[in-house]
Amino acid sequence: MEELENVGVDDLDGLEDRKCPECGCTRLVRDYDRAEVICASCGLVVDDHLIDPGPEWRAFDSEQREQRQRGGAPMTYTIHDKGLSTVIDWRDKDIYGTSLKPSRRSQMYRLRKWNRRARMSDSSDRNLSFALAEIDRIAAQLRLARNVKEAASMVYRRTVEKKLIRGRSIESVAASALYVACRQLSVPRTLEEIASVTKVDKKEIGRSYRFLARELGIKLAPTSPIDYVPRFASALKLPGKVQAMAIEILSQAIDEGLTSGRGPMGVAAAALYVSAVMNDEQRTQREVAEVARVTEVTVRNRYKEIIEHLGLALE
DNA sequence: AAGACGAAAGTGGTTGA
DNA sequence: TCAACAACTTTCGTCTT
């Protein structure tokens, strides 16, 4: 039991010198359950198709067998039946590869039909499978890690169970679920980013997000600007020390109350800008504003507040 | 010429009566 | 439901490098 705790995740062997291409940090983590290498800071899936080198445990009793056996696909919340159901193959061949007789073929056709119907019995199931595919698509385009997708799927399931989807489009709820999941796991994506890979616009996602948060009783701490730093820094190709200083600046700014009521992206952008200038890694306000998806003016206003309240001087 | 700065007016969303 | 309001954006002109 104890040794099993260390088997799946967090194996850092050979990963120490690899960097996350997105944020440049070295906090890469292997997840054998999902066969992925993910970045612990920004949630990017760095590598998939990982081969599980874990030991084939010998099992001495049924309890151990249950825990140690590795057979079948992992259970997942991202497939509407959790990936556990039986699917009848569509090929009209038997296990030897020879074609089926016509009578058999029509029998198989009927079996497949009922198999399909049994799997997607009611409308909420069909809704689910559609939505989960959508979550999968969006998450893939934003290169989000598997655990985010799982969390989003859970949120969506709860939404369906509480019958809250009526009137709202599946896509907007799926997008919101993903947004919630991102924030829960501290790998925030902006509404804009999610909206950019969706037909739904930002405002609509925001609306259903607030609705979900209220109805499902999800309490989310307001996004910390710090969570955005790694991603913005990497987009600007800023070295680690700039990132570190930006985070330092931000935690002071938070203590000073400079962040309350302010848009976290704007604050994060300003801190990065200040930090970049102080480290001789100057970026233009325009560049910083761009990656944070705010305007130069906002960056300016925030960074003015920062240098004046923290007593920092540029040059 | 490009970037930084600031003023002023406009926009979308929240809040409180 | 409406108005007040703060944060943020847009736009544009001026100053600095």
Side-chain angles (χ1 to χ4, degrees):
Chain A
M1 194 57 189
E2 273 174 8
E3 67 266 33
L4 276 176
E5 303 237 333
N6 298 323
V7 167
V9 204
D10 271 27
D11 179 2
L12 293 172
D13 229 16
L15 285 181
E16 299 91 345
D17 47 339
R18 282 187 63 187
K19 284 188 174 177
C20 168
E22 176 80 14
C23 68
C25 74
T26 52
R27 303 180 51 213
L28 299 185
V29 163
R30 277 203 185 89
D31 179 348
Y32 286 118
D33 286 344
R34 303 299 176 210
E36 290 168 343
V37 175
I38 63 177
C39 169
S41 324
C42 66
L44 180 85
V45 179
V46 179
D47 210 349
D48 49 18
H49 309 304
L50 200 65
I51 296 169
D52 185 356
E56 296 282 1
W57 295 90
R58 287 185 63 193
F60 297 102
D61 57 41
S62 62
E63 194 189 338
Q64 287 183 358
R65 184 171 301 118
E66 235 168 75
Q67 289 171 347
R68 295 179 174 179
Q69 193 177 52
R70 296 191 301 139
M75 190 172 98
T76 173
Y77 288 102
T78 58
I79 299 177
H80 80 286
D81 54 14
K82 300 177 189 164
L84 296 177
S85 67
T86 303
V87 182
I88 300 179
D89 198 10
W90 53 270
R91 286 182 294 261
D92 287 316
K93 302 280 179 71
D94 62 20
I95 56 170
Y96 305 111
T98 51
S99 294
L100 265 44
K101 286 184 295 188
S103 63
R104 275 283 179 201
R105 282 185 50 175
S106 58
Q107 184 190 13
M108 290 306 293
Y109 175 79
R110 267 175 284 129
L111 278 171
R112 274 197 292 271
K113 188 160 83 183
W114 284 104
N115 180 238
R116 227 181 14 248
R117 286 186 185 171
R119 274 199 297 149
M120 306 234 266
S121 50
D122 57 25
S123 67
S124 73
D125 255 17
R126 228 170 302 131
N127 184 320
L128 246 189
S129 64
F130 193 89
L132 295 180
E134 189 60 25
I135 287 174
D136 213 68
R137 208 207 82 231
I138 302 171
Q141 274 185 270
L142 296 176
R143 303 227 56 191
L144 285 166
R146 181 65 166 259
N147 58 339
V148 181
K149 281 196 281 188
E150 294 280 344
S153 305
M154 278 305 296
V155 172
Y156 196 92
R157 278 174 190 282
R158 286 170 58 200
T159 314
V160 172
E161 274 160 28
K162 286 205 161 192
K163 308 204 187 303
L164 299 173
I165 359 90
R166 36 105 221 195
R168 256 158 281 272
S169 78
I170 292 176
E171 203 179 18
S172 71
V173 179
S176 317
L178 210 47
Y179 179 70
V180 170
C182 284
R183 288 188 51 176
Q184 279 177 333
L185 298 175
S186 294
V187 287
R189 293 302 185 266
T190 64
L191 279 177
E192 228 149 324
E193 285 171 297
I194 294 182
S196 70
V197 294
T198 313
K199 283 185 223 102
V200 196
D201 68 346
K202 180 178 147 195
K203 171 174 105 179
E204 181 63 32
I205 298 175
R207 276 186 39 200
S208 27
Y209 151 69
R210 275 191 301 280
F211 181 75
L212 286 197
R214 181 156 38 88
E215 295 298 323
L216 295 179
I218 297 171
K219 21 186 184 331
L220 288 174
T223 319
S224 165
I226 293 176
D227 291 333
Y228 287 110
V229 169
R231 229 153 36 84
F232 292 169
S234 75
L236 293 165
K237 304 202 186 342
L238 286 167
K241 65 171 182 177
V242 174
Q243 232 187 90
M245 183 182 276
I247 289 173
E248 178 58 30
I249 291 172
L250 280 176
S251 34
Q252 285 182 40
I254 292 169
D255 289 342
E256 294 277 326
L258 291 182
T259 55
S260 76
R262 307 281 135 84
M265 284 117 71
V267 182
L272 265 175
Y273 177 73
V274 174
S275 172
V277 172
M278 293 181 28
N279 283 288
D280 278 331
E281 288 281 347
Q282 180 100 29
R283 297 292 184 276
T284 65
Q285 294 180 349
R286 166 112 180 63
E287 289 172 310
V288 180
E290 178 115 355
V291 302
R293 315 226 182 172
V294 294
T295 58
E296 301 167 59
V297 183
T298 303
V299 174
R300 272 202 294 277
N301 291 337
R302 289 301 87 79
Y303 111 88
K304 246 194 308 178
E305 291 167 5
I306 287 176
I307 56 176
E308 128 186 347
H309 279 79
L310 300 185
L312 298 171
L314 302 185
E315 302 313 275

